């Protein structure tokens, strides 16, 4: 049973890669550490409760903080997320920023060459970053449900070795392909990919 499941996952990933290449005009993404494009780390949006612990915020204040985050561009939100991830002392605020980053990527129109995706790729490729932070970012990409997110996740499978990171990456790929809010124009491609994967497994068993 385990071999069958592994075979199914492999076949599905291969099919999805073919779909992504077809949709993306043959573009394949390679993770590269590179140099992050942020020269300075922005501060959190100015709010009346700045300096208070995130856990102490009321529900309206949390909504206010989240709304302020959504006014920022995606790359600035990512830089904020990175700051909170590295400091690891404000989990509540980091949670707000994580949700805002996922939502902003989802509603945005950035392509794979946008600064936010380049910085995300660099963060994921850098093995000096904590594995927990890299896994968290993989989960954010899975919730973002965008083609560039999927391209980055597929690149992780091709370039990284950590078992836990790879497991979460596969889960995020599955999340993207199964979410109803994924762009309708991609649905026929993924339905075809899933059918192809099932057919491949049936021939293997």
């Amino acid at each position: 049973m385990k071999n069958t499941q592994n075979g199914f996952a492999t076949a599905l990933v291969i099919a999805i890669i073919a779909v992504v290449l077809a949709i993306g005009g043959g573009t394949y993404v390679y993770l590269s550490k590179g140099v992050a494009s942020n020269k300075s780390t922005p501060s959190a949006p100015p709010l009346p409760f700045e300096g208070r612990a995130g856990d102490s915020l009321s529900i309206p204040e949390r909504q206010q903080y989240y709304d302020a985050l959504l006014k920022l561009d995606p790359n600035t939100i990512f830089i904020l997320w990175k700051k909170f991830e590295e400091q690891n002392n404000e989990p509540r605020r980091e949670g707000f920023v994580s949700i805002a980053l996922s939502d902003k990527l989802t509603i945005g129109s950035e392509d794979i060459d946008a600064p936010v995706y380049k910085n995300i790729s660099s963060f994921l490729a850098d093995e000096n970053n904590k594995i927990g932070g890299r896994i968290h970012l993989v989960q954010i990409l899975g919730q973002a449900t965008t083609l560039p997110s999927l391209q980055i996740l597929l690149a992780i499978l091709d370039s990284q070795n950590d078992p836990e990171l790879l497991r979460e990456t596969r889960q995020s790929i599955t999340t993207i392909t199964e979410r109803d809010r994924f762009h309708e124009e991609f649905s026929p491609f993924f339905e075809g990919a899933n059918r192809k994967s099932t057919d491949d497994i049936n021939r293997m068993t």
Side-chain angles (χ1 to χ4, degrees):
M1 178 63 70
K2 184 176 181 180
N3 290 336
T4 300
Q5 291 175 338
N6 290 337
F8 178 82
T10 300
L12 178 58
V13 167
I14 291 173
I16 291 174
I17 290 174
V19 171
V20 170
L21 289 176
I23 296 173
T27 301
Y28 192 82
V29 178
Y30 296 91
L31 289 189
S32 174
K33 293 181 181 179
V35 178
S37 62
N38 52 293
K39 295 183 179 180
S40 61
T41 301
S43 59
L47 296 171
F49 45 82
E50 189 66 35
R52 287 169 51 191
D55 286 335
S56 71
L57 303 182
S58 66
I59 292 178
E61 288 172 335
R62 294 176 186 181
Q63 184 64 52
Q64 184 181 353
Y65 185 77
Y66 172 77
D67 290 342
L69 287 170
L70 287 185
K71 295 178 181 178
L72 303 175
D73 65 89
N75 194 49
T76 300
I77 298 176
F78 168 72
I79 296 169
L80 278 171
W81 174 86
K82 183 179 177 183
K83 183 188 76 171
F84 283 123
E85 178 67 32
E86 291 172 345
Q87 292 177 345
N88 195 30
N89 61 357
E90 265 284 16
R92 177 69 69 177
R93 286 186 190 272
E94 183 182 344
F96 298 152
V97 175
S98 298
I99 296 171
L101 177 58
S102 173
D103 289 347
K104 193 72 172 185
L105 290 176
T106 301
I107 64 178
S109 59
E110 289 77 13
D111 60 25
I112 193 65
D113 293 321
V116 63
Y117 285 118
K118 286 185 175 295
N119 283 333
I120 286 173
S121 294
S122 296
F123 185 91
L124 291 170
D126 190 349
E127 296 180 359
N128 292 320
N129 291 321
K130 295 178 181 179
I131 190 63
R134 295 163 74 200
I135 288 174
H136 187 189
L137 190 54
V138 161
Q139 293 168 339
I140 291 173
L141 289 177
Q143 293 298 317
T145 322
T146 65
L147 182 58
S149 296
L150 183 58
Q151 290 175 294
I152 292 173
L153 293 171
L154 290 171
I156 293 174
L157 295 183
D158 193 46
S159 62
Q160 301 297 307
N161 299 314
D162 184 88
E164 189 175 1
L165 179 64
L166 293 176
R167 182 171 60 252
E168 290 295 333
T169 299
R170 293 189 185 97
Q171 180 58 51
S172 289
I173 290 173
T174 300
T175 298
I176 288 178
T177 59
E178 290 181 349
R179 288 183 73 90
D180 292 336
R181 65 185 175 131
F182 198 77
H183 299 294
E184 291 183 1
E185 61 266 30
F186 299 146
S187 296
F189 292 97
F190 287 113
E191 289 173 2
N194 284 319
R195 286 197 299 270
K196 181 182 183 303
S197 299
T198 301
D199 293 340
D200 290 342
I201 292 305
N202 289 336
R203 287 194 295 268
M204 293 169 58
T205 55

